[in-house]
Amino acid sequence: MKRTLALWLLLAAPLAAEKRESVFYPLAVRDRAVVNARQHGWAAAIRKKAIADAARWLRMSDDELWREMFGPHITRSHMVWSSGHCPACRRPVPMYDWQIDAWAHPWKVRCPHCNELFPKNDFEAFYRSGLDERGVFDPKRADRTLLFNTEHPTPSDPFYRFGVDDGEGYVEGEKRWRFIGAYLLYGQWSQRIEAGLRNLATAYTVTGDRAYAHKAGVLLDRIADLWPSFDYATQGLVYERARYGGGVAGYVYYAITSAYTVMRLVSAYDKIFDGIRDDTSLVGFLRGKDPRKSSFAAIQRNIETNILHHVLENPRQIRTNYPGAERTLALTRTILEWPANRAQLRSDLDEIVRKGVAVDGLSGEKGLSSYAAIAPRELAEILAEYSHLDPGLLPYLLERNPKLRDTYRFHVDMWINREYYPNSGDAGSFARKLLEYPALTFNGPVYSLLGRLARVTRDPLYMQLAWMGNGGRAEGLPHDIFAEDPAGFAAEVKAAISRHGPWPAAASVNKKEWRIAILRHRTDPGSAVWLDYDSVPEGDLKSHYHFDAMNLGLYFGGLNLLPEFGYPAVQFGDWHTPQAIWHRKTAAHNTVVVDGRDQAGGPTECTLWNTGGPLQVIRASSPSQIKGSVYERTIAMIETGPTGYYVFDVFRVQGGKEHAKHTHTTFAEPTVFGVRLAPSPPLYDPGTLMRAFQTGRAAGPAWGVDWKIEDKYGYVQPPRDLHLRYTDLTRDAEAYTAESWTVASATSTTEYWIPTAIVRRRSDSGDLASTFVGLLDPYQGQPQLKRIARLDQDDAAVRVEVELSGGIRDRLLSNASGVTLERRDAEGKVIFTASATGR
Ligand SMILES: [Zn+2]
Ligand SMILES: [Zn+2]
């Protein structure tokens, strides 16, 4: 891991005196919860739910709780078998598809198809037989005569050993199912131990009832006993592999999850602190388990040394997506040292925010609707926590980091009709909508933060986000049982919505640092085109990107007609399989592949951005992607009416010997026109997951494909006859069609083959120059573009004329200075001209 400055600062700060009270939940805060629950129905509901959520653990005896925690001597596994199947019904059960309900079916996982439970042995009995004097499972002590299928208990029965797992998996020849290894993580730890601690701690903060703190204290102290013995790098598997990726560090879970686990452990400790510091019965119980625990100070030392300080000293065990580790370390120090470290903490948080908003308000991590939303979500939680503690913090951070004002606007600007995100990088599933705003987790503290942001910035956006997050109403806001003036907040939101409307107006938008732009139809929010113009990010965080520079997207009629393939298909055995690599490759995107290779990254810039009229244009350039001299795409969106539009696309490339422009659509039935095709060998090596290649030379200047769109997810009601018609006008090119592979989602094995058009040019010289000219006509019923003609002779200035219905003609010109449009009526009279030139 590249250690960040923030991390060093956090580690360098001195440790202050010992903790004396809860930092985030002192008595005054807990009292507010009690008062709010008395005064507001929504707050009473939060309290009631917290009590119900903790009831299961409150009922358990101290000893039962203490025995929940397990030790490190069973191999933990991130998946039962990442690309596996059910041993009973043999149907695929990849990745995280095994169902685990640790309360209904302890020590079992269930097949989602046939509902069979595994393992077939009574693992709990085997586990109990192997506990040593400290209560930790030792496989050498365990009674192996218990390892049989309890449904077939006769040794002569052929199923006697079927489905039996001794902790290291059920084995059939080469196959191994880590039922217990995965159960320990998702069942025993997450559902029974961590959930118990979290729910008990929350119940204490909203009720002030020490019984909850006591039970949480039993769990937390027991976790602390064993915590330093957990080391995922040497004890755990990811994709069936030990030391995956050179050794994924971590504690119970691998590091990416451990950061959040630690956050919850540390936060729970702070929540219950005031409730356990004078709890003599807790000391009494724990002394019975270990005579050294003769005072609360010894328990405090156990928890702080084995969890909090251990984490501060081993930050690589919580390495995760930015800024999860930094947040956890800051939180840990705060809980140990506040308020002595107030100044240090401000500078630590300033550093976290600076990096978290560096790229158009985001961290720069790709995966637009997934990983790219992590930093904003995390920042919100951090700011929500700390602005409570330090009321001057938010104005201070906003002044020092003006881009923080863009952070929550990014996923508003990028949301198309509040239905789709233009997914760049590892995000989303093929052609799927995303109906939830991903950059915030809407909960009480976050609502309260939105109120603070609105007051400091005077930007109505935050009130609109709160309104949307709450389902388009003010009732119940801010859902924060610790809020100081909840009724005042709800009234503020209501007032802002009546003044500014429920949602910001959407217009074309260009995120020049993130390097993605959306051209939006001026009157139809569902009509939009986007261009992603980088591949490898130029910022610090180079993760989750695809080799996708100049990738084009398009929405019309409620559907995504040029979808990104989405999150890599890791469910076929990890990130190194051909399936997982494919979604990242250049050929899997609607862009130009040069010499069959993936793009190389490098500087990229938007060289023309002209929007707001009936003709809107973006041009971007990045020749280093192909290590050539020209790689420039010019996209013009031309409106034809209150909903209709078409796209005029000129893609210039120079360098290399072979240029292939790919355009894959969504689920569709293709009809090819203007060319006769015959089967062809594949254009690429087998790592490019394409098939059914056909090729031919166009008879005239134009050829193309009309895709009749299949609305597989039933998004458009009533159904409509939607098409996307691609017409190509490129000179000296070969026409190809093929099918590109994809999969329903990153956890599904349902495969699809998506129709694809390829325009290919070749030369022997090695410095091929191409000008790809295309038109995209998304339409319902009849094509909008009745006739298409190319008027220029030499590619330097591309001139195209198209005829629309009613005899209207558009003359388009794309040259070095930009794009112009002249629209004439049937009589030849100019209706308007538009020009998008300059930068
Ligand atoms: Zn099954
Ligand atoms: Zn992609």
Side-chain angles (χ1 to χ4, degrees):
M1 176 196 187
K2 212 176 82 186
R3 291 195 180 195
T4 65
L5 184 60
L7 214 61
W8 282 115
L9 285 172
L10 293 162
L11 289 169
L15 280 178
E18 80 175 30
K19 183 177 179 67
R20 294 185 189 284
E21 66 169 352
S22 172
V23 172
F24 289 99
Y25 298 88
L27 182 61
V29 173
R30 299 197 302 274
D31 279 350
R32 274 210 301 277
V34 174
V35 171
N36 279 333
R38 218 178 280 142
Q39 292 179 349
H40 304 283
W42 58 264
I46 290 173
R47 183 178 190 271
K48 198 174 160 195
K49 180 174 188 306
I51 291 169
D53 286 349
R56 192 194 286 280
W57 291 273
L58 188 66
R59 280 196 304 267
M60 290 169 76
S61 71
D62 288 359
D63 204 54
E64 283 171 331
L65 279 168
W66 191 88
R67 284 189 287 131
E68 286 288 298
M69 186 57 192
F70 54 90
H73 304 302
I74 295 170
T75 303
R76 301 182 298 288
S77 184
H78 206 60
M79 298 94 172
V80 169
W81 176 7
S82 67
S83 56
H85 55 266
C86 169
C89 70
R90 303 271 143 187
R91 295 180 62 189
V93 193
M95 299 301 279
Y96 314 109
D97 280 8
W98 286 97
Q99 296 171 347
I100 298 176
D101 181 340
W103 290 103
H105 304 289
W107 301 101
K108 301 281 182 195
V109 305
R110 183 155 76 179
C111 170
H113 308 296
C114 68
N115 291 326
E116 281 291 310
L117 293 166
F118 290 96
K120 290 292 176 194
N121 51 314
D122 180 351
F123 188 83
E124 185 167 6
F126 177 69
Y127 175 82
R128 298 282 168 221
S129 76
L131 295 179
D132 66 14
E133 49 287 334
R134 297 175 309 130
V136 178
F137 178 75
D138 175 355
K140 289 189 290 292
R141 290 181 176 226
D143 179 1
R144 297 191 70 85
T145 64
L146 295 168
L147 294 172
F148 62 89
N149 180 347
T150 53
E151 293 159 23
H152 296 266
T154 315
S156 59
D157 189 317
F159 288 100
Y160 183 70
R161 297 273 181 212
F162 174 72
V164 172
D165 183 348
D166 67 354
E168 297 305 316
Y170 165 56
V171 179
E172 274 181 17
E174 298 282 290
K175 301 170 191 160
R176 187 185 291 264
W177 288 263
R178 297 256 177 198
F179 299 124
I180 292 299
Y183 170 84
L184 278 179
L185 296 177
Y186 303 103
Q188 191 66 20
W189 174 265
S190 287
Q191 297 178 14
R192 295 181 69 112
I193 298 168
E194 195 186 305
L197 180 64
R198 195 177 60 232
N199 292 344
L200 289 164
T202 299
Y204 172 65
T205 57
V206 302
T207 62
D209 181 344
R210 288 178 181 223
Y212 295 107
H214 174 91
K215 295 292 180 193
V218 171
L219 261 180
L220 185 59
D221 180 76
R222 184 57 180 154
I223 294 167
D225 288 345
L226 295 160
W227 192 249
S229 67
F230 285 99
D231 174 14
Y232 205 89
T234 56
Q235 300 161 352
L237 309 175
V238 181
Y239 291 101
E240 294 76 63
R241 291 228 267 283
R243 306 203 67 80
Y244 183 81
V248 177
Y251 285 103
V252 173
Y253 272 104
Y254 75 156
I256 290 175
T257 308
S258 281
Y260 304 100
T261 301
V262 168
M263 219 182 276
R264 291 188 278 267
L265 295 184
V266 167
S267 175
Y269 174 54
D270 186 55
K271 283 179 176 165
I272 62 170
F273 189 86
D274 295 355
I276 58 172
R277 71 183 161 199
D278 304 315
D279 184 345
T280 50
S281 74
L282 179 67
V283 176
F285 172 74
L286 293 175
R287 190 195 291 126
K289 294 291 184 187
D290 180 347
R292 289 170 301 176
K293 290 178 186 162
S294 56
S295 65
F296 177 71
I299 295 166
Q300 177 170 8
R301 200 159 50 241
N302 188 41
I303 294 169
E304 292 187 3
T305 304
N306 284 348
I307 300 178
L308 286 84
H309 289 294
H310 198 275
V311 168
L312 291 175
E313 284 152 24
N314 297 278
R316 64 181 298 274
Q317 284 181 255
I318 56 164
R319 186 183 67 178
T320 191
N321 301 77
Y322 191 81
E326 290 76 4
R327 176 187 172 194
T328 304
L329 295 172
L331 183 73
T332 303
R333 294 205 79 100
T334 307
I335 282 165
L336 285 170
E337 297 170 43
W338 183 266
N341 61 346
R342 182 188 292 262
Q344 178 67 49
L345 194 74
R346 268 204 178 184
S347 99
D348 292 346
L349 294 180
D350 180 44
E351 177 65 18
I352 289 174
V353 171
R354 192 190 61 73
K355 198 172 165 190
V357 303
V359 183
D360 280 321
L362 306 188
S363 68
E365 195 162 5
K366 296 291 184 181
L368 197 141
S369 64
S370 63
Y371 296 101
I374 291 176
R377 270 204 313 268
E378 289 288 307
L379 288 181
E381 309 248 328
I382 295 168
L383 298 174
E385 279 160 7
Y386 284 95
S387 44
H388 235 31
L389 212 56
D390 178 358
L393 181 71
L394 206 51
Y396 167 83
L397 291 174
L398 278 162
E399 196 194 318
R400 292 180 52 87
N401 302 279
K403 285 187 191 178
L404 182 53
R405 291 168 192 266
D406 303 329
T407 301
Y408 299 101
R409 192 167 289 283
F410 188 94
H411 285 91
V412 170
D413 286 344
M414 285 289 121
W415 212 359
I416 289 148
N417 205 23
R418 286 169 64 171
E419 288 181 321
Y420 291 103
Y421 277 102
N423 271 328
S424 166
D426 297 343
S429 307
F430 184 70
R432 283 276 183 194
K433 290 183 178 182
L434 185 64
L435 299 174
E436 280 92 45
Y437 175 81
L440 287 171
T441 307
F442 290 100
N443 58 36
V446 165
Y447 282 119
S448 288
L449 172 74
L450 289 171
R452 285 176 200 271
L453 281 165
R455 270 168 245 133
V456 178
T457 63
R458 303 187 170 280
D459 185 342
L461 172 74
Y462 304 104
M463 293 298 182
Q464 291 163 326
L465 284 169
W467 179 263
M468 178 202 59
N470 195 41
R473 57 205 168 86
E475 285 70 44
L477 283 174
H479 299 288
D480 181 358
I481 195 167
F482 305 107
E484 283 166 51
D485 178 18
F489 178 82
E492 272 177 76
V493 172
K494 227 170 185 164
I497 298 309
S498 65
R499 190 171 326 139
H500 302 283
W503 194 245
S508 295
V509 63
N510 187 7
K511 300 292 182 186
K512 286 185 176 168
E513 295 174 343
W514 221 87
R515 309 203 194 288
I516 191 165
I518 300 174
L519 299 173
R520 283 189 161 92
H521 194 289
R522 289 173 303 165
T523 50
D524 178 9
S527 283
V529 178
W530 56 269
L531 185 72
D532 173 6
Y533 49 95
D534 71 351
S535 63
V536 185
E538 287 175 80
D540 289 350
L541 290 176
K542 297 186 193 305
S543 55
H544 295 292
Y545 59 85
H546 293 181
F547 299 101
D548 60 355
M550 310 304 160
N551 189 24
L552 184 70
L554 184 152
Y555 302 87
F556 177 74
L559 293 178
N560 182 354
L561 301 188
L562 293 181
E564 155 70 35
F565 282 142
Y567 201 95
V570 292
Q571 64 274 37
F572 296 88
D574 89 7
W575 288 79
H576 307 296
T577 60
Q579 291 94 331
I581 291 168
W582 163 240
H583 281 191
R584 304 182 66 209
K585 288 175 76 65
T586 301
H589 295 87
N590 290 321
T591 187
V592 171
V593 180
V594 174
D595 294 339
R597 284 202 289 266
D598 284 334
Q599 292 167 350
T604 181
E605 63 173 332
C606 176
T607 51
L608 173 59
W609 174 250
N610 194 310
T611 61
L615 164 71
Q616 304 190 75
V617 176
I618 180 170
R619 171 177 288 167
S621 169
S622 188
S624 67
Q625 300 293 344
I626 60 158
K627 298 189 169 111
S629 53
V630 180
Y631 196 65
E632 178 201 81
R633 192 166 200 173
T634 307
I635 296 293
M637 178 188 202
I638 297 130
E639 291 176 10
T640 55
T643 57
Y645 72 98
Y646 65 95
V647 171
F648 175 41
D649 172 17
V650 176
F651 201 146
R652 294 181 190 271
V653 182
Q654 188 169 354
K657 289 183 172 177
E658 182 200 8
H659 300 165
K661 182 189 173 198
H662 287 230
T663 309
H664 71 252
T665 182
T666 181
F667 308 106
E669 190 57 47
T671 305
V672 174
F673 57 87
V675 65
R676 286 170 79 95
L677 299 174
S680 148
L683 282 178
Y684 304 106
D685 64 55
T688 295
L689 303 187
M690 299 181 70
R691 69 175 191 190
F693 286 86
Q694 299 204 62
T695 186
R697 283 267 175 187
W703 73 281
V705 190
D706 190 298
W707 290 299
K708 180 174 166 48
I709 305 298
E710 182 198 343
D711 179 13
K712 200 180 249 319
Y713 306 131
Y715 284 155
V716 182
Q717 295 303 333
R720 295 165 70 184
D721 177 29
L722 294 170
H723 295 249
L724 179 63
R725 189 176 174 89
Y726 175 74
T727 304
D728 192 83
L729 302 161
T730 308
R731 293 203 172 87
D732 305 320
E734 298 162 292
Y736 278 85
T737 61
E739 293 174 348
S740 302
W741 181 88
T742 191
V743 70
S745 76
T747 56
S748 166
T749 48
T750 305
E751 302 180 335
Y752 303 124
W753 290 93
I754 302 302
T756 306
I758 302 169
V759 187
R760 184 181 184 225
R761 299 185 76 255
R762 277 183 291 171
S763 84
D764 297 326
S765 78
D767 191 28
L768 176 64
S770 298
T771 300
F772 292 96
V773 179
L775 288 155
L776 284 156
D777 178 4
Y779 70 90
Q780 178 181 353
Q782 293 297 314
Q784 301 175 96
L785 308 182
K786 310 294 176 200
R787 249 188 299 276
I788 295 171
R790 178 125 185 226
L791 307 179
D792 65 288
Q793 302 302 319
D794 63 357
D795 286 359
V798 177
R799 290 173 193 278
V800 170
E801 185 176 81
V802 304
E803 187 182 320
L804 305 169
S805 65
I808 290 171
R809 283 164 198 265
D810 282 356
R811 275 205 174 185
L812 297 153
L813 163 68
S814 181
N815 63 13
S817 51
V819 180
T820 60
L821 160 67
E822 183 185 83
R823 180 165 291 174
R824 291 172 187 266
D825 66 15
E827 279 76 51
K829 215 173 81 200
V830 175
I831 304 173
F832 68 82
T833 61
S835 164
T837 55
R839 278 183 78 90

